[in-house]
Amino acid sequence: MTAARKAGRLALLGLVAVSLATAPAAGQDGAAVYGKYCSQCHGDNGDGQGVAAPYLKPWPRDFTAGKYKIRSTPTGGLPTDADLHMVIREGLPYTAMPAFPNLSDAELDAVVQVIQGFSPDFEDPEAQIPPIAIPDPPQWTEERAERGLQVYGETGCGRCHGDVGRGDGMSAPTLTDDWGQPIRVADLTMPWTFRGGGTRRDIFRTMSTGFNGTPMPGFHGALPEEDIWAIVDYIASLSGNTVDEPYQNLVRSVPRAGGLELEKADELFAEAPKAMFRVVGQVVQPGRHFQPSIYAIGLQAVHNRRDIAFRVSWHDMRAETTGVSGPDLEAPSWGDVLTALGVGRGPGGGSGDEGDGGDIWGGAAEESSDPWGDAVADDGGSGDDVWGDAVADDAGGGDDVWGDAVADEGSDDIWGQAETSAPEGPTGPRAEFADAVALQFPLQNPSGVRLPYFLLGDSENGVQLWFADLAAGQPRLYSANGSDKVVPGDAEPPEMIASYDQGEWSVVFKSPRRVPGSGLEFADDAFVPLALTVWDGFMRDRGNRRGLTPWYYVHVEPIDRPSPVGPMVKAGVGVLAIELLLIGLVRFAARRKRNAAESA
Amino acid sequence: MKLVVVLPMLAVLLGLRFVKPRMIVWLAAWWAAIFVTLRFGFATPIPVSVVKLYMGIVTLALTAYILADRERMRQVREPLTAFLVEQRYQPALMAVAVLIPVLAAVQVWAGMTAEAQPPSFARTVHPAPPDSITVHGTDYPLGTQDNPYRSLEGTNPAEFEERLQDGRRVYYENCFYCHGDLMAGQGLYASGLNPIPTNFQDPGTIAMLREAFLFWRISKGAPGLPEEGGPWQSAMPAWEKFLSDEEMWNVILFLYDFTDSRPRAVEAHS
């Protein structure tokens, strides 16, 4: 009893101690919180010009503009205090805006006041638009999702987000935000990357309110609620109703009877599970790339007794099938990048006309040859008002929240950009650098845990690259002993075939399982290390300016798998025999004892 | 340590002292409590194979404890023998006799059909640093090297503050993609890296390291690690390629300042 009480008291004490230790020091004022956690990005004056700003895409928000993406208020409205609390607590996924779970409620209140103080709008009673109600989501249904696909098409989401939501709409390459920066449309198949959250309730809010300061319109009042839910269910279905990151560290290569015909890729990989790997920027070697445009890359593998085939697939806003590519091309030096960024001046300074501006996102827009630059430059009023129509039609008179809000905000430029005519042809104008992808394997199977350096190997342990030049449609083979020692391989490259469809690149490689010209073999039941690299020509990726993954593995599943039944029976019978023996012995001994006792 | 698991287990073991259960119950309770703590009581779980090893040792220890005393042995033996021999336990005995082989068979099946796990490498997180390194032509004897700007904290607070600000710039220009805004290792890239970026808020990292150790890790990055650190797999860049020595020392000042921690001091040297 007393002991239990003692233990209970101990437990309580422990918990109190822990919570005290983790609670942030109370009594800090907003300015101090802002100064420690926010100003490095958002700037001392809230103008978005913190020291880190030049490197970030999208830029840290300029709070003086009073334009917020994530709100419960209609287009043009200001976020409520609760909205701001949520945004700061949860962050904006896949941007530099982090989540701040560490701040106490009091600290949050204080910092919210600070950022509101940067914009006079929060003082203006006229600017306070009441939030719209976000209802509880109805149960997801297949029928609604199917109808959603239709509404999605009719509403014109596809013009920006692509016909099946992969972020490859015709207008996508031309879009900019209110600060004149190119902006990526969301890839609707990856809700875990959504700035405003990927749950169905979040998507409903995003679609209803839109994102101020960006081309993403709000549809509250323009679409009936049930249509919005229909699209929400369609979007949810694109990711199989999950909002969790699906990343893995292993791809299973499954055995397949018969030949591996590259031309029939869909059939070939029908039963191969697809592993998704996260792509991060190459920031280790010069040519650093902070925010690669490709978030994730899918990999499947199949094999028969002779060959192994890999399918690499990823979403790309537009296929760049002209220009050059290669892992050995020279990437811009760090100095060039810094000059192009105009570091020290921050976003407000504008990205001027210095140097090879094309090397980083912002810069790219200025190069006259660059599609984004062009589109944005010559868009001036070219608009037959596709948007206006769509909205007007749907709104059906009513109180046109949309029209008003847009007018108030003076952000008609949102529409201006959306209306630009699409780039020529399905693959766009001539690009200087082509899209490309490469699979990286060690030169030979590692004998122990030691692998080559994940970034193109090291002097003792080399790697091979199965490289797909998507402009030429040709495979190439490279070997590398470090970033500065990438040379064309002398053996026959693996076979390769590539296609681009509705925003997705699909590249299939095939090689004998005993890879010619190297010591690498994809043996039965082996784990072979692999890494991936992807270049987006649109972003002027080439050489070491690229997205990549660290080492992962492919497991070559054995073609002949032993049945577990035999060993199972053996184990069961063996254990049973031991048991019976034991019981028998104990009983025998007990009986002897009893007999002895009785006879005594 | 997960207190929700550990505290109830402690409570159970404490409780045993007062309830004074039968020896066999006592044995089972100790064994189970230790198992639950090892298996579920840690925030970063202990690998199953290691738990098995520990439980083997625990079983041995408990057996030795029983065998060491005749009375204890009797207390354990009697109920066991009764279970195996007496008529009234017959149905239960039969059930157990069938269950164990079935479990053994299931174990074999699970082992043979389990998803294959890729080879893993248990890297040494803080391997011994080399005696000295050369960065941009300057030799640094790591054993005795201190942060050349640390003393400014007392002698010239204004310059120290400037260096902190520069360190902050360096951090947010270069490091937060991986180590995160809050230095808790949860940067933008974290879910794409293995090993994951170090969490500097963890008292087991920079707070127990010397500044010279950090200088080594920052200037030489993953490629500078010895073999046991797994130099081939960590994405930690060698910052000497991008930063000056001064910038690296400054960012070290900032790491400690932001996390409210102090570096381990250089041992007194003669």
Side-chain angles (χ1 to χ4, degrees):
Chain A
M1 267 295 135
T2 49
R5 213 184 298 149
K6 231 190 261 168
R9 203 177 305 152
L10 255 176
L12 215 95
L13 262 178
L15 287 179
V16 171
V18 167
S19 54
L20 269 183
T22 49
Q28 270 177 337
D29 62 333
V33 176
Y34 186 84
K36 175 160 185 181
Y37 295 114
C38 319
S39 66
Q40 57 273 47
C41 292
H42 293 287
D44 292 336
N45 309 316
D47 52 7
Q49 297 193 42
V51 287
Y55 299 78
L56 307 179
K57 302 287 167 192
W59 276 343
R61 189 59 43 76
D62 168 2
F63 295 133
T64 62
K67 289 181 184 169
Y68 288 85
K69 291 185 177 176
I70 293 142
R71 311 168 326 276
S72 54
T73 56
T75 305
L78 290 169
T80 63
D81 287 6
D83 292 341
L84 286 172
H85 272 236
M86 187 191 75
V87 157
I88 298 168
R89 271 250 190 281
E90 317 251 323
L92 273 64
Y94 286 69
T95 76
M97 174 65 199
F100 288 95
N102 60 317
L103 298 181
S104 67
D105 284 339
E107 286 174 314
L108 260 185
D109 280 334
V111 81
V112 162
Q113 273 179 18
V114 172
I115 60 180
Q116 288 175 339
F118 290 127
S119 161
D121 294 359
F122 285 95
E123 307 269 275
D124 177 3
E126 304 231 320
Q128 313 299 322
I129 308 178
I132 57 179
I134 313 279
D136 281 335
Q139 186 67 34
W140 182 90
T141 66
E142 180 104 47
E143 302 82 74
R144 204 178 306 108
E146 270 162 24
R147 202 169 66 76
L149 169 60
Q150 202 188 331
V151 189
Y152 176 90
E154 289 163 1
T155 317
C157 312
R159 284 187 343 118
C160 292
H161 291 284
D163 292 343
V164 290
R166 290 173 182 155
D168 60 317
M170 288 301 238
S171 312
T174 68
L175 300 176
T176 58
D177 65 18
D178 280 13
W179 291 270
Q181 286 298 295
I183 185 170
R184 289 245 156 200
V185 304
D187 181 335
L188 300 181
T189 65
M190 299 187 189
W192 55 92
T193 67
F194 289 178
R195 307 331 183 198
T199 67
R200 289 165 65 239
R201 179 191 287 274
D202 291 332
I203 302 174
F204 182 93
R205 188 197 54 236
T206 298
M207 281 186 56
S208 301
T209 67
F211 276 7
N212 290 349
T214 83
M216 174 62 202
F219 293 89
H220 178 66
L223 279 181
E225 211 171 85
E226 61 273 17
D227 281 3
I228 299 190
W229 281 120
I231 299 185
V232 167
D233 278 10
Y234 166 63
I235 294 178
S237 73
L238 292 176
S239 59
N241 263 317
T242 177
V243 293
D244 298 330
E245 293 191 329
Y247 306 129
Q248 273 146 27
N249 59 5
L250 175 75
V251 60
R252 290 162 48 214
S253 178
V254 293
R256 236 189 99 85
L260 307 181
E261 286 175 61
L262 291 194
E263 290 69 30
K264 298 189 184 151
D266 282 341
E267 199 184 306
L268 189 58
F269 292 97
E271 259 127 63
K274 180 168 172 178
M276 292 283 276
F277 299 120
R278 171 82 193 270
V279 172
V280 300
Q282 191 292 106
V283 295
V284 177
Q285 290 293 339
R288 295 165 74 192
H289 193 8
F290 292 95
Q291 267 145 301
S293 52
I294 287 143
Y295 291 142
I297 196 159
L299 188 63
Q300 292 165 287
V302 295
H303 59 277
N304 60 16
R305 288 191 196 276
R306 214 183 82 81
D307 298 320
I308 187 162
F310 292 93
R311 171 153 79 175
V312 191
S313 53
W314 71 98
H315 295 175
D316 190 349
M317 181 168 74
R318 191 170 72 192
E320 266 68 43
T321 53
T322 56
V324 293
S325 63
D328 50 351
L329 291 185
E330 196 167 332
S333 76
W334 184 226
D336 291 347
V337 174
L338 287 181
T339 324
L341 285 169
V343 161
R345 293 189 297 129
S351 26
D353 34 27
E354 63 278 277
D356 176 14
D359 283 328
I360 197 119
W361 213 354
E366 288 131 36
E367 281 219 346
S368 56
S369 71
D370 182 275
W372 274 15
D374 281 343
V376 173
D378 58 33
D379 89 83
S382 68
D384 37 4
D385 192 16
V386 186
W387 260 124
D389 287 358
V391 172
D393 283 349
D394 283 304
D399 40 2
D400 186 359
V401 184
W402 225 158
D404 293 353
V406 170
D408 283 352
E409 268 298 89
S411 47
D412 19 21
D413 50 339
I414 299 182
W415 303 117
Q417 277 131 27
E419 284 149 16
T420 20
S421 51
E424 317 117 43
T427 56
R430 270 196 79 77
E432 191 177 346
F433 299 105
D435 291 340
V437 74
L439 276 172
Q440 172 182 298
F441 299 102
L443 269 183
Q444 50 249 319
N445 294 86
S447 52
V449 287
R450 180 53 156 114
L451 304 182
Y453 185 43
F454 80 100
L455 208 110
L456 296 171
D458 50 69
S459 51
E460 278 114 68
N461 305 275
V463 297
Q464 54 187 306
L465 291 180
W466 300 3
F467 179 85
D469 175 341
L470 298 175
Q474 292 294 326
R476 282 187 249 156
L477 187 67
Y478 288 90
S479 69
N481 281 88
S483 288
D484 45 356
K485 295 196 196 65
V486 184
V487 293
D490 3 279
E492 183 77 1
E495 287 175 58
M496 188 278 275
I497 190 165
S499 64
Y500 179 83
D501 181 38
Q502 294 195 307
E504 183 171 74
W505 270 114
S506 163
V507 176
V508 182
F509 292 98
K510 180 174 123 181
S511 158
R513 285 173 62 179
R514 202 178 273 282
V515 183
S518 81
L520 188 71
E521 186 190 354
F522 294 91
D524 261 9
D525 214 12
F527 285 93
V528 179
L530 68 83
L532 288 146
T533 271
V534 59
W535 289 265
D536 183 358
F538 184 82
M539 300 291 291
R540 306 172 60 77
D541 290 358
R542 78 278 196 181
N544 242 339
R545 187 181 147 78
R546 58 199 174 101
L548 52 76
T549 75
W551 283 121
Y552 293 115
Y553 284 94
V554 51
H555 180 228
V556 188
E557 298 198 334
I559 294 186
D560 311 301
R561 216 178 236 292
S563 147
V565 175
M568 275 169 73
V569 171
K570 251 189 231 161
V573 170
V575 171
L576 188 69
I578 296 175
E579 273 178 7
L580 293 180
L581 191 73
L582 198 83
I583 298 176
L585 275 175
V586 171
R587 289 198 163 183
F588 179 71
R591 182 154 335 127
R592 277 242 312 244
K593 214 171 169 188
R594 202 167 48 228
N595 288 348
E598 271 164 19
S599 60
Chain B
M1 278 270 159
K2 282 197 222 149
L3 292 181
V4 267
V5 178
V6 177
L7 289 177
M9 288 305 118
L10 278 177
V12 166
L13 294 185
L14 274 175
L16 283 183
R17 299 199 53 150
F18 298 89
V19 181
K20 295 230 162 40
R22 288 202 276 165
M23 196 47 145
I24 188 126
V25 176
W26 182 92
L27 258 186
W30 267 87
W31 198 91
I34 295 176
F35 175 75
V36 170
T37 311
L38 286 176
R39 184 80 175 75
F40 306 105
F42 290 86
T44 34
I46 307 181
V48 178
S49 56
V50 178
V51 172
K52 272 189 192 159
L53 189 83
Y54 286 161
M55 289 320 292
I57 298 173
V58 167
T59 312
L60 276 182
L62 288 175
T63 316
Y65 176 73
I66 299 300
L67 291 181
D69 180 294
R70 272 175 174 281
E71 177 56 20
R72 277 185 226 141
M73 231 160 89
R74 192 188 57 76
Q75 281 183 21
V76 173
R77 196 182 55 224
E78 274 177 3
L80 278 183
T81 325
F83 182 68
L84 293 182
V85 174
E86 283 175 29
Q87 200 59 37
R88 57 187 166 131
Y89 293 126
Q90 191 89 342
L93 177 63
M94 275 167 69
V96 171
V98 172
L99 197 68
I100 293 178
V102 168
L103 283 180
V106 167
Q107 183 93 32
V108 168
W109 176 81
M112 288 187 68
T113 51
E115 287 266 309
Q117 289 300 314
S120 68
F121 170 69
R123 63 187 288 270
T124 305
V125 179
H126 296 125
D131 292 339
S132 73
I133 55 172
T134 306
V135 181
H136 298 136
T138 310
D139 292 329
Y140 293 95
L142 292 182
T144 52
Q145 180 70 44
D146 216 339
N147 190 330
Y149 308 117
R150 173 62 65 188
S151 60
L152 293 174
E153 205 172 359
T155 58
N156 189 345
E159 189 189 337
F160 188 76
E161 183 56 33
E162 258 168 51
R163 292 196 172 272
L164 277 183
Q165 286 305 322
D166 187 56
R168 184 177 195 236
R169 173 189 66 77
V170 171
Y171 186 84
Y172 287 98
E173 282 179 4
N174 300 287
C175 318
F176 89 96
Y177 295 90
C178 296
H179 293 287
D181 284 81
L182 299 173
M183 298 198 184
Q186 292 165 334
L188 207 50
Y189 292 171
S191 68
L193 298 178
N194 173 28
I196 53 169
T198 307
N199 169 0
F200 299 137
Q201 301 280 4
D202 180 340
T205 64
I206 59 172
M208 52 160 247
L209 297 169
R210 295 194 295 101
E211 287 178 283
F213 185 95
L214 264 65
F215 187 74
W216 164 55
R217 287 307 322 276
I218 294 169
S219 57
K220 302 293 176 187
L225 285 168
E227 287 294 291
E228 68 265 30
W232 59 88
Q233 60 171 357
S234 160
M236 171 67 184
W239 288 104
E240 61 181 345
K241 290 200 182 89
F242 304 102
L243 300 175
S244 68
D245 296 15
E246 218 177 320
E247 285 176 311
M248 290 189 274
W249 287 118
N250 290 348
V251 75
I252 293 174
L253 295 179
F254 179 62
L255 295 187
Y256 286 104
D257 183 71
F258 189 89
T259 55
D260 282 329
S261 55
R262 308 290 306 176
R264 217 180 87 206
V266 178
E267 284 91 22
H269 47 273
S270 44

